[in-house]
Amino acid sequence: MSEDVENDFHHVDFTVASIWESFIKSLEEVIFEWKLPQSKRVSPLKRGDIEKAVWDKKTKKEKLSFAEVNFTITRYILKDPGAGVTSPLEDETGDEDKVQALEDIMCFENDFLPQKMWLSSMGNVGQHPHPLAVWYGLRDFVIIAPNHDAVISSETRVKLLLSSLYIAVNNTNCSVPIFIQIHRASDQFYMGVCDGKEVRVDFEMVYLKRAPQHCRYLPGLLDVFKTKIASPISLEQILLSVQFTYILRDWTSYKWTQQPPDFEFLQGETIGVTELGRLPFGATSDPVSELYLYATWPKLVDSAVTDGESYSDFEPSKAPHWSVQVRMADQPACLLSDYFEEFLQLCHCKRNMKDLIGDLMECDSSGIDISTSLSAITEPRVPTLSQVLKRNKTRPKAVVRDGAISHEHLMHMLYFLFPDAADGGVKPYPETWGNSEETKQLEMGNMKTVPVDSLVWRLSIVMSHVLSTLGAVRAAAQLWYEFCGEMLFRWDKGILIPGVPPGFPDHRTCLLNQKLQMLNCCIERRLNRETLARKTSVELEKLSSGVSRISVPCKNSDDEDEFFDCSAEPTGGEGGGGGEEAAAAAGAGPSRPGGGARRKQKHSLWNQPVGRLYKYGNLRLLKTGEHLYVPVTQDPSPKTEDQILEDVDVMVHLGTDAHAAELRARIMSASLLSDMESFKAANPGAILEDFIRWYSPRDWIEEEGIDEYGQKKGSLSPRMQIRGNVWVDVWEAAKPVPARRQKRLFDDTREAEKVLHFLKTQSPAQMAQLLLPTLLHACLVRLMEEERAELPDVMPTIQHIVKQAVRLGQQGNTAQDLPRYEDLSKEMTSVEEVIAQFKSLEHKFSPSGGEQSPELQAFLSHLMQNTQVDVPEGPRGPIGMKIRCMFAEAQKVAQMLSEYDLADSSEETWNSPFATNFPQPHKRHFIMRTHAKRPSTYSIACPQRLSAILQKDSFRLAGCFTQDITFQ
Amino acid sequence: MDDEVLTTLKILIIGESNVGKSSLLLRFTEDMFNPEQQLTIGVDFRTKKITVDGNTVKLAIWDTAGQERFRTLTPSYYRDAQGAILVYDVSNVKTFNKLETWLNELDTHSTKSNIVKMVVGNKIDKEHREVSREEGMKFARRHATLFIESSAKTRDGVQCAFEELVQKIIQMPGLWERHGDAIQVSEEDAGAVPSCVGWKCSVI
Ligand SMILES: Nc1nc2c(ncn2[C@@H]2O[C@H](COP(=O)(O)OP(=O)(O)OP(=O)(O)O)[C@@H](O)[C@H]2O)c(=O)[nH]1
Ligand SMILES: [Mg+2]
């Protein structure tokens, strides 16, 4: 493209003048618009100002064009580090004619600015601050760059442009340097001028792929500088600043990586268990990829140094000043985050259980009927696992199909999840389920998950291991299948599930935990029912043989549930004690048949009081004068949150009119009916008033006067007296039936089967979604363990994730919220990465892990901020020594390697055989400064500067040369 | 009333038996008072639209039985409630003393950590008073809840109680941000919801 433009240009030669003039005119307009000539001098820069302060960037796109090439003009200006905006320096006398740009280029404070580089989204390398600031120490300059892909290359055009520029600058007295970008943007080649008040200032550049032979060392560069200045009289001394950069890429023994847990290796009975319960953490490759060492020699005098092929004073270990910077690896693989990420993938899995593990399922179904293996009554103290039974009967130990978990591993996991099945040696569940202090502090307790280290907690972690390191999706499906099998086994055998917080389903925990709590409730109810039935039958035998009492078994005597409750014999003294339940609860003494004999007269055989819990104060039944007993009632029904939602739906769908309210009351009155029946059974001869006095005392209004049994008279409240009121209706319908013989309000068998069905029918994705919130919780706890006070951003991020997680839990729709979980996963990754980076640095600089000096702590936390950090005491301080060791070790390894292929060492570089402990410098940067009388002996001495930057594949000179235009 | 319902809010009414929970609800939804209001069995449910600050919301109000025997039944319905009205009877100090228990009950069973609570002293039409307005206020202040006194019989304070509760809930975007399938997540509000609701007393 540039070629074409070139040709065009020659064709229209006669118009050049006007092109030229219009370019100058537009440029001047911009210069005036930006008020460049008026720009005031500001206070001198302090070290680090250019690097840290904020740069302003102003851009103009339109207007400026030259020979059909359009230009963009951009101004870079440093905001005053102190005031935020450039604040003019108080004008001191005699200072008016000083030029900011010239002050800046001669200022030592700005030497060797650290430059950050990054890859922009378009693949360009972004740099901050701009390289011109780095090469010249400028804080205010303008760049004119051709738009798009246009390139200015030919010498004639460069000259034309520069002269136009020079005219514009001169006309406007613009003291802000203006550069023109020449060649491709990526070459970063700029030429520029500025008005130096009586002094002409030229910024010139040389850029080559390779340093010319004579420019490889300092003396040659000094010659170039001197020649260029070409002062008629010999120069004042030249001041030098030098910086060599070394890169360390091979960490040798300072490498820090983490390996995923190796379960093959951890075959031992107990080791596997600790590993199983712990999520892995850290990066699998060193998260710190490179260390840059900058050895600096500030302010040397040219005559005092030697630098050459065979000897150089620039030996890094002798540099007065060292600073370092690290480059972090780009997204190193982090174990914890990868675990979570893989789990998220499983949440999207489209496959079903049958596809994944159909073969295993078949193999089992042809197996054993576990219910026959053990009798519930002779159950062993230590429960076995469903798997143990299966192993014996069906699955040979050796057979492991593709992607399935080996039997060995499976047993480890199951014993870890169900430690009650092992004979000790396995980590039991905690006794109580409290959250630790720090998790409370972070509101982790509000996450809708499970208590730390409970069964679901462990399952989520084990599932994660299985998914990520033990066989992927198929293995995960298998583990779930085994888990469901174990649940069935437990229900079948009546063995409580361990690691599940006691009590009713806790709706603040995740659904899976609630389901397990439900299952435990069912198992518990069933066990209670069965023990009670056994005891009753034993007692019945005793009674029927001893005292001559008649036991009347119901028609289905084989169904223990249907036993007629005949042990209504009061066990206490007159009217004392209740039925067998109370006796069992209180561990009451031996029965006294005498008391029973007397009672017998009061109640006919069909009207025995049954199911009494305790006497209710001194209340007596209104009609018979007997003590009023509180009956044994049915226990309330546990419900999981999905069941509640169904109930709520039913309630809502009934509508809101009076009829609906009535219907709701009827539905809800099942428990009322049950209580009334129990009450009637415990209190033969009772009336509704008696019931109300116990059940809703406020609806019993006491009146003046005493009844025949010495109690205050009273009557039902008006609302209880309304005809057709639910209470009256239900009372009339209630039969005297003790709680134990009523239809169960809570059918444990049915509920247990519902839970088991729920578990069995989860798809792999649904299963993962059930566990996901808990796994997230476990990951966060793991992050907290690794959290470091030295990393101030970590805690706030964790806190933020917790807050989001709490909210997601409340919304309770994991499937729909998966994208949000993905966001959290990313945040978690960044935290893990940062912690890993820090650990890696710590390992490198303090491998023994002992107490760190405050100096080292500060050093490390600065390194983490990705900036160039000074090494205290340079190469002679403790940190410097450590860095030297790192380089030395890496060099040793490199030399050992290179001895193998000495043959191709033909490529000669600036070889310095003496610096064996350091590699070749990655970059050598020399800054030369002086004042020189130019162009004639009468001229004033004006500032001259040359930066030389030498790298293996690039050689750059950036010079600023000035000459007196008054005294030529 | 504006038909564009912004969202549905779930409100709970809890408190001892006979304090007038069902009566308050009936007054609010139907503007009626039934001296023969029946003892609530389990839970009951009513809805009503209400416009506060120009926003129309639908209230799904769950009236629970205060009767002790039903307490195992009712907490299940606390789930997902955004607001709770805790009622006591100003003519019966026992019902006031039980408020603390009800607050605990609420904390254990509600799934939202930032549920808006309001304490209501009912039956102020009665001549016989056992709990003064100041005592009620003090309690509310201590527990950082809203407070109002009312009478379901004379309709004093009833409408106001519901309006204020709704207003407070609407001011807390975290509570009702999700309706339909749209999730409106604002970065801020996740953390912005204060752990306790500022106390505010409305004059009737
Ligand atoms: N004087 C007066 N009586 C009221 C007021 N509110 C309710 N009552 C009466 O108090 C009694 C109880 O009212 P309910 O509304 O049934 O009480 P509740 O709190 O719903 O009772 P439970 O359903 O058992 O929890 C009824 O007889 C009402 O008529 C009121 O503001 N003033
Ligand atoms: Mg009621």
Side-chain angles (χ1 to χ4, degrees):
Chain A
M1 175 174 180
S2 67
E3 293 294 304
D4 293 346
V5 177
E6 209 73 22
N7 292 339
D8 265 342
F9 179 68
H10 287 293
H11 276 295
V12 291
D13 209 355
F14 56 91
T15 61
V16 165
S18 68
I19 292 172
W20 190 10
E21 275 160 15
S22 79
F23 177 79
I24 293 170
K25 205 169 144 274
S26 330
L27 184 56
E28 284 174 2
E29 273 168 31
V30 178
I31 291 173
F32 282 123
E33 195 185 321
W34 284 353
K35 301 196 171 79
L36 297 185
Q38 286 101 307
S39 83
K40 289 267 180 2
R41 233 159 48 74
V42 291
S43 50
L45 287 165
K46 289 188 291 297
R47 178 129 200 97
D49 279 352
I50 290 199
E51 177 196 356
K52 287 191 200 110
V54 184
W55 285 82
D56 243 0
K57 195 172 153 185
K58 242 190 275 180
T59 305
K60 267 217 178 310
K61 269 210 153 84
E62 66 294 3
K63 277 211 226 169
L64 213 57
S65 72
F66 188 85
E68 285 167 31
V69 179
N70 291 319
F71 291 86
T72 299
I73 172 163
T74 310
R75 182 185 189 189
Y76 293 83
I77 181 164
L78 186 75
K79 283 192 189 165
D80 186 44
V85 224
T86 314
S87 65
L89 195 70
E90 300 239 334
D91 259 357
E92 292 154 39
T93 39
D95 263 8
E96 303 94 77
D97 54 334
K98 287 205 173 161
V99 175
Q100 180 80 60
L102 297 182
E103 300 268 290
D104 284 345
I105 61 161
M106 297 309 276
C107 173
F108 284 92
E109 296 302 322
N110 301 335
D111 289 351
F112 313 120
L113 290 173
Q115 203 177 15
K116 278 188 191 153
M117 288 195 213
W118 64 90
L119 227 55
S120 79
S121 51
M122 281 131 78
N124 302 326
V125 180
Q127 282 169 317
H128 181 88
H130 193 279
L132 283 175
V134 177
W135 297 331
Y136 291 109
L138 291 172
R139 68 171 102 176
D140 187 4
F141 53 91
V142 172
I143 294 175
I144 300 173
N147 286 350
H148 312 298
D149 301 331
V151 173
I152 310 290
S153 278
S154 90
E155 208 161 319
T156 23
R157 296 194 63 203
V158 170
K159 272 191 179 145
L160 256 171
L161 266 173
L162 276 173
S163 356
S164 314
L165 185 58
Y166 186 64
I167 293 168
V169 163
N170 246 0
N171 289 347
T172 55
N173 292 329
C174 175
S175 62
V176 175
I178 302 182
F179 291 87
I180 290 178
Q181 177 195 304
I182 296 159
H183 305 301
R184 282 166 304 160
S186 60
D187 292 332
Q188 302 187 317
F189 194 98
Y190 305 91
M191 307 272 268
V193 292
C194 80
D195 178 13
K197 297 186 180 157
E198 321 297 309
V199 169
R200 176 185 169 136
V201 185
D202 292 292
F203 294 90
E204 295 176 38
M205 192 164 279
V206 170
Y207 177 49
L208 300 168
K209 287 269 167 261
R210 220 152 233 285
Q213 194 65 40
H214 64 280
C215 289
R216 290 193 171 185
Y217 296 96
L218 183 61
L221 295 167
L222 284 168
D223 282 346
V224 170
F225 187 45
K226 288 176 193 158
T227 320
K228 180 71 197 171
I229 294 167
S231 174
I233 55 164
S234 69
L235 289 174
E236 304 174 27
Q237 64 181 11
I238 296 173
L239 286 178
L240 286 170
S241 296
V242 180
Q243 183 176 72
F244 280 22
T245 307
Y246 298 86
I247 302 182
L248 181 68
R249 290 204 174 88
D250 184 359
W251 292 110
T252 57
S253 68
Y254 300 91
K255 197 183 188 75
W256 191 83
T257 60
Q258 299 296 298
Q259 296 311 314
D262 183 352
F263 294 102
E264 297 303 333
F265 180 65
L266 301 162
Q267 275 300 316
E269 285 281 320
T270 45
I271 312 170
V273 164
T274 22
E275 281 298 312
L276 269 177
R278 195 168 169 78
L279 289 165
F281 179 92
T284 50
S285 58
D286 201 315
V288 181
S289 61
E290 290 171 345
L291 177 118
Y292 285 69
L293 169 66
Y294 306 95
T296 311
W297 292 264
K299 285 198 198 176
L300 298 172
V301 180
D302 64 333
S303 53
V305 283
T306 318
D307 178 39
E309 200 161 338
S310 51
Y311 176 78
S312 170
D313 282 335
F314 302 117
E315 155 67 32
S317 54
K318 297 202 184 89
H321 184 259
W322 267 19
S323 54
V324 290
Q325 187 167 11
V326 287
R327 206 173 63 78
M328 302 301 182
D330 188 33
Q331 301 182 334
C334 288
L335 290 166
L336 184 68
S337 316
D338 282 359
Y339 260 47
F340 192 72
E341 194 53 48
E342 281 205 50
F343 216 84
L344 269 172
Q345 294 305 318
L346 183 58
C347 290
H348 291 293
C349 175
K350 294 269 187 300
R351 304 177 66 181
N352 62 35
M353 286 285 175
K354 206 152 178 233
D355 274 351
L356 286 168
I357 50 163
D359 53 340
L360 297 178
M361 288 160 139
E362 243 164 60
C363 162
D364 272 356
S365 61
S366 62
I368 47 151
D369 173 12
I370 42 175
S371 57
T372 56
S373 335
L374 284 169
S375 124
I377 298 165
T378 60
E379 133 208 340
R381 226 170 32 82
V382 177
T384 48
L385 293 171
S386 53
Q387 249 300 322
V388 178
L389 299 172
K390 273 187 227 154
R391 173 181 55 177
N392 296 341
K393 304 257 169 154
T394 60
R395 202 178 300 155
K397 208 166 151 183
V399 178
V400 178
R401 270 154 284 238
D402 299 331
I405 314 168
S406 76
H407 185 80
E408 228 74 35
H409 283 147
L410 188 60
M411 290 313 293
H412 279 309
M413 290 174 207
L414 291 178
Y415 278 124
F416 174 63
L417 295 174
F418 306 101
D420 59 341
D423 273 319
V426 183
K427 193 177 163 207
Y429 283 106
E431 308 262 305
T432 52
W433 302 106
N435 274 331
S436 66
E437 271 312 305
E438 57 188 353
T439 55
K440 261 185 211 154
Q441 195 188 337
L442 267 179
E443 290 184 59
M444 278 198 195
N446 290 343
M447 287 177 73
K448 199 172 156 61
T449 53
V450 285
V452 175
D453 206 29
S454 61
L455 173 56
V456 173
W457 182 276
R458 287 190 186 185
L459 180 63
S460 74
I461 295 175
V462 172
M463 190 64 81
S464 199
H465 281 307
V466 166
L467 189 62
S468 298
T469 46
L470 283 172
V473 184
R474 188 169 134 88
Q478 186 195 358
L479 178 62
W480 179 254
Y481 175 71
E482 293 296 345
F483 180 80
C484 295
E486 183 62 27
M487 292 299 108
L488 174 64
F489 175 78
R490 298 241 164 197
W491 163 247
D492 236 67
K493 294 280 154 286
I495 308 164
L496 283 174
I497 305 156
V500 177
F504 278 21
D506 182 345
H507 296 176
R508 286 166 304 172
T509 65
C510 69
L511 184 62
L512 179 57
N513 186 62
Q514 292 180 39
K515 294 283 179 191
L516 300 184
Q517 285 182 311
M518 182 63 136
L519 197 53
N520 257 356
C521 284
C522 295
I523 296 172
E524 214 170 291
R525 293 269 170 110
R526 199 183 111 189
L527 290 178
N528 284 345
R529 213 157 20 89
E530 285 171 0
T531 17
L532 207 60
R534 263 204 307 283
K535 213 164 61 207
T536 310
S537 53
V538 170
E539 229 165 73
L540 278 177
E541 259 168 50
K542 212 165 64 194
L543 282 172
S544 53
S545 55
V547 196
S548 64
R549 292 196 47 88
I550 312 143
S551 66
V552 188
C554 249
K555 47 244 158 194
N556 307 324
S557 52
D558 53 302
D559 181 356
E560 75 267 20
D561 200 21
E562 293 294 316
F563 265 121
F564 199 124
D565 186 344
C566 289
S567 55
E569 173 66 38
T571 47
E574 217 268 307
E580 74 293 333
E581 289 94 340
S591 66
R592 277 199 270 146
R598 227 184 307 158
R599 303 282 294 222
K600 220 162 143 191
Q601 292 149 9
K602 277 190 187 165
H603 303 288
S604 43
L605 191 59
W606 49 267
N607 202 13
Q608 292 292 322
V610 278
R612 288 174 167 183
L613 193 59
Y614 56 86
K615 259 194 282 178
Y616 190 56
N618 281 324
L619 291 193
R620 287 169 182 276
L621 299 184
L622 295 168
K623 286 273 146 60
T624 66
E626 277 233 42
H627 278 286
L628 192 154
Y629 281 89
V630 171
V632 173
T633 51
Q634 291 205 38
D635 286 335
S637 309
K639 280 190 174 156
T640 54
E641 69 186 24
D642 51 343
Q643 292 176 315
I644 295 288
L645 282 179
E646 281 166 26
D647 289 0
V648 168
D649 259 7
V650 170
M651 293 280 144
V652 169
H653 274 113
L654 286 177
T656 56
D657 57 8
H659 180 65
E662 173 93 19
L663 262 176
R664 266 194 289 273
R666 299 266 168 211
I667 293 173
M668 304 294 289
S669 64
S671 74
L672 181 62
L673 174 68
S674 155
D675 286 350
M676 282 179 168
E677 295 199 327
S678 307
F679 187 83
K680 278 188 173 177
N683 298 290
I687 53 173
L688 178 61
E689 279 82 348
D690 292 316
F691 179 76
I692 292 294
R693 285 195 300 160
W694 163 54
Y695 211 80
S696 182
R698 285 199 191 88
D699 283 290
W700 173 250
I701 296 153
E702 291 189 337
E703 293 158 2
E704 287 306 306
I706 305 283
D707 71 2
E708 50 182 308
Y709 306 111
Q711 336 181 64
K712 272 205 166 174
K713 284 187 176 172
S715 61
L716 286 179
S717 65
R719 63 176 177 179
M720 278 296 168
Q721 289 176 25
I722 304 164
R723 290 195 143 271
N725 122 29
V726 179
W727 294 71
V728 176
D729 287 1
V730 177
W731 178 258
E732 273 158 18
K735 296 183 195 71
V737 184
R740 283 181 46 229
R741 288 198 296 111
Q742 290 167 13
K743 181 175 183 298
R744 274 181 272 153
L745 287 178
F746 177 74
D747 185 341
D748 46 55
T749 311
R750 230 186 74 209
E751 292 302 327
E753 270 157 13
K754 273 198 224 164
V755 172
L756 293 170
H757 177 80
F758 171 86
L759 297 178
K760 218 173 76 184
T761 51
Q762 296 295 304
S763 70
Q766 286 169 324
M767 173 272 284
Q769 286 165 18
L770 284 175
L771 291 171
L772 186 70
T774 305
L775 183 67
L776 174 62
H777 191 168
C779 288
L780 289 171
V781 168
R782 189 75 176 86
L783 282 183
M784 292 278 292
E785 274 172 39
E786 303 287 345
E787 184 263 326
R788 301 295 302 258
E790 294 92 333
L791 303 169
D793 291 343
V794 165
M795 273 316 274
T797 313
I798 296 182
Q799 210 139 12
H800 180 253
I801 302 174
V802 171
K803 268 184 188 139
Q804 300 295 318
V806 168
R807 199 221 295 252
L808 289 179
Q810 284 174 356
Q811 288 167 352
N813 189 340
T814 309
Q816 198 179 315
D817 285 335
L818 284 178
R820 302 282 299 134
Y821 278 98
E822 259 137 49
D823 294 344
L824 294 187
S825 169
K826 288 195 192 90
E827 282 185 54
M828 235 159 44
T829 310
S830 72
V831 172
E832 188 180 10
E833 219 173 278
V834 167
I835 298 174
Q837 289 166 352
F838 186 76
K839 291 199 142 195
S840 167
L841 287 178
E842 232 178 13
H843 171 76
K844 293 172 176 39
F845 288 96
S846 154
S848 51
E851 185 91 347
Q852 294 170 10
S853 65
E855 190 182 73
L856 180 58
Q857 282 173 3
F859 176 76
L860 291 178
S861 65
H862 280 123
L863 272 188
M864 282 303 291
Q865 283 151 28
N866 234 335
T867 50
Q868 195 171 315
V869 189
D870 288 349
V871 177
E873 298 167 68
R876 289 157 296 278
I879 298 173
M881 292 307 286
K882 182 109 271 161
I883 295 170
R884 287 164 74 165
C885 291
M886 291 179 201
F887 272 103
E889 207 175 298
Q891 268 314 94
K892 220 181 276 167
V893 172
Q895 266 155 18
M896 266 154 58
L897 290 178
S898 68
E899 270 157 26
Y900 287 110
D901 39 33
L902 266 177
D904 53 43
S905 67
S906 57
E907 196 194 329
E908 38 141 16
T909 37
W910 337 279
N911 238 325
S912 41
F914 46 88
T916 45
N917 280 345
F918 286 88
Q920 297 296 340
H922 163 74
K923 187 198 256 185
R924 295 180 298 152
H925 191 168
F926 300 92
I927 301 174
M928 296 156 252
R929 292 182 171 96
T930 192
H931 283 83
K933 289 182 192 288
R934 287 179 79 201
S936 70
T937 25
Y938 315 109
S939 309
I940 51 163
C942 35
Q944 318 290 340
R945 165 183 170 133
L946 179 68
S947 266
I949 300 150
L950 291 85
Q951 280 176 273
K952 201 169 178 191
D953 53 1
S954 89
F955 171 77
R956 188 184 297 270
L957 298 177
C960 174
F961 303 99
T962 63
Q963 55 185 307
D964 194 338
I965 42 179
T966 321
F967 302 100
Q968 299 199 351
Chain B
M1 198 181 269
D2 188 353
D3 264 335
E4 267 209 42
V5 175
L6 201 57
T7 185
T8 300
L9 299 179
K10 178 170 173 179
I11 310 287
L12 285 176
I13 309 184
I14 58 177
E16 289 292 292
S17 181
N18 210 38
V19 296
K21 296 184 294 298
S22 306
S23 303
L24 279 172
L25 183 54
L26 186 68
R27 172 58 80 191
F28 175 62
T29 54
E30 314 285 327
D31 198 17
M32 285 189 337
F33 180 71
N34 177 5
E36 296 184 333
Q37 178 68 44
Q38 287 202 21
L39 197 92
T40 308
I41 295 170
V43 295
D44 198 9
F45 164 81
R46 275 169 196 277
T47 58
K48 186 170 165 83
K49 278 186 204 161
I50 179 172
T51 304
V52 175
D53 298 342
N55 301 311
T56 301
V57 294
K58 186 174 162 190
L59 300 185
I61 310 164
W62 292 82
D63 175 24
T64 64
Q67 183 44 250
E68 191 122 20
R69 292 293 308 177
F70 294 119
R71 283 201 199 149
T72 49
L73 221 57
T74 50
S76 320
Y77 293 88
Y78 288 16
R79 199 189 144 74
D80 291 337
Q82 285 113 326
I85 299 180
L86 292 96
V87 190
Y88 67 96
D89 175 351
V90 295
S91 69
N92 182 344
V93 70
K94 278 188 224 148
T95 64
F96 180 66
N97 293 338
K98 278 285 169 68
L99 279 184
E100 200 114 21
T101 323
W102 284 105
L103 273 176
N104 287 339
E105 185 89 347
L106 197 60
D107 287 341
T108 4
H109 296 285
S110 72
T111 49
K112 292 205 185 281
S113 48
N114 40 12
I115 182 168
V116 177
K117 295 166 214 157
M118 170 177 258
V119 169
V120 176
N122 189 36
K123 304 201 190 175
I124 49 168
D125 58 287
K126 282 197 164 182
E127 306 219 320
H128 169 76
R129 218 193 224 264
E130 291 185 0
V131 186
S132 72
R133 183 181 161 79
E134 283 66 38
E135 286 172 279
M137 272 210 252
K138 228 171 89 188
F139 179 88
R141 187 179 292 130
R142 189 149 39 91
H143 292 95
T145 71
L146 301 166
F147 176 72
I148 208 166
E149 286 194 333
S150 71
S151 164
K153 193 170 173 179
T154 65
R155 70 165 69 81
D156 266 330
V158 177
Q159 182 73 19
C160 193
F162 283 92
E163 277 174 11
E164 202 159 296
L165 184 71
V166 169
Q167 191 176 36
K168 196 84 201 179
I169 296 171
I170 290 180
Q171 285 167 5
M172 304 180 97
L175 278 172
W176 54 283
E177 71 206 357
R178 182 184 227 167
H179 48 98
D181 282 336
I183 319 165
Q184 295 142 16
V185 185
S186 57
E187 273 309 302
E188 274 320 292
D189 64 36
V193 179
S195 54
C196 62
V197 183
W199 178 80
K200 184 175 166 194
C201 171
S202 70
V203 183
I204 17 166

